[in-house]
Amino acid sequence: MTTPTHDDGTTSSRNQVAPAPPAQVAGSSGPLLTSHAALILLTAVVVGGVVAALTYLSAGNGAAAALAGLMGTGASIPVLHTMIGL
């Protein structure tokens, strides 16, 4: 068995594999976020903000307000998706 040599006289015992071509990105694949999804997420963030503000005003605790706002945002997404069906 012989070791292959290159044009410059060096030898390599490793298998040479050609690099894969770069991945092609489709130009017209559509928007990253549909207007329906954007409307639902924006409305959910507003609902979460209102819940956080009311929680802060009643409890005076910023951490509790942040958790309540996040829970309000997360809980309102499926409800809004059902209500704002396009």
Side-chain angles (χ1 to χ4, degrees), residues 12-63:
S12 173
S13 61
R14 295 188 315 157
N15 294 333
Q16 298 295 324
V17 177
Q24 297 293 327
V25 176
S28 62
S29 64
L32 181 63
L33 193 62
T34 63
S35 59
H36 181 250
L39 177 66
I40 288 172
L41 292 176
L42 180 64
T43 308
V45 167
V46 169
V47 168
V50 169
V51 169
L54 292 174
T55 303
Y56 182 74
L57 290 175
S58 68
N61 187 352

